[in-house]
Amino acid sequence: MKRRMKDPPTVEALPADWRKKAKALRRYGGETPATAIERCADDLEATLVERDETTFSLVEAARESGYTATHLGRLVRDGKIPNAGRPGAPRIARRHLPRKAPIDAPLAEEPSRRERSNTQIVQSIIRKGIE
């Protein structure tokens, strides 16, 4: 019988997953590695919050999302995206930014979520950095 591999957790789910692993380590006397894992979970969680709170001008948001600044401005004006800036100078938080997939990007090149390891996910976060 073929065993189905469990999907790796999403980046956002990693801190909770790591905390569970730390709890298991503690149960077996692994206090030092458990503490290290919890600190990593805290750091990743803080990085994710900071990343999601990053705001962009309409021009920056257009570059990041693939949509035009005009379209994004319309979405903000219509209330479909919250304005993280002020009237007359709208900004969009990364967590509210719509994403347009590149038309010419072949889907086969991107590994599926199932094929990504936790290490690859964390490395991609570190490479991308907080903009």
Side-chain angles (χ1 to χ4, degrees), residues 27 59 75 104 109 128:
R27 238 181 24 211
V59 172
L75 292 175
D104 58 352
E109 286 183 11
K128 181 143 179 128

Side-chain angles (χ1 to χ4, degrees), residues 8 13-14 19 21 39 41 44 46 53 68 73 76 81 96 104 110 116:
L14 279 174
R19 285 188 180 92
K21 289 176 181 172
R39 287 182 183 161
L44 178 56
E53 295 302 318
T68 66
V76 171
I81 297 176
H96 294 127
D104 58 352
E110 180 74 9
R116 290 184 186 142

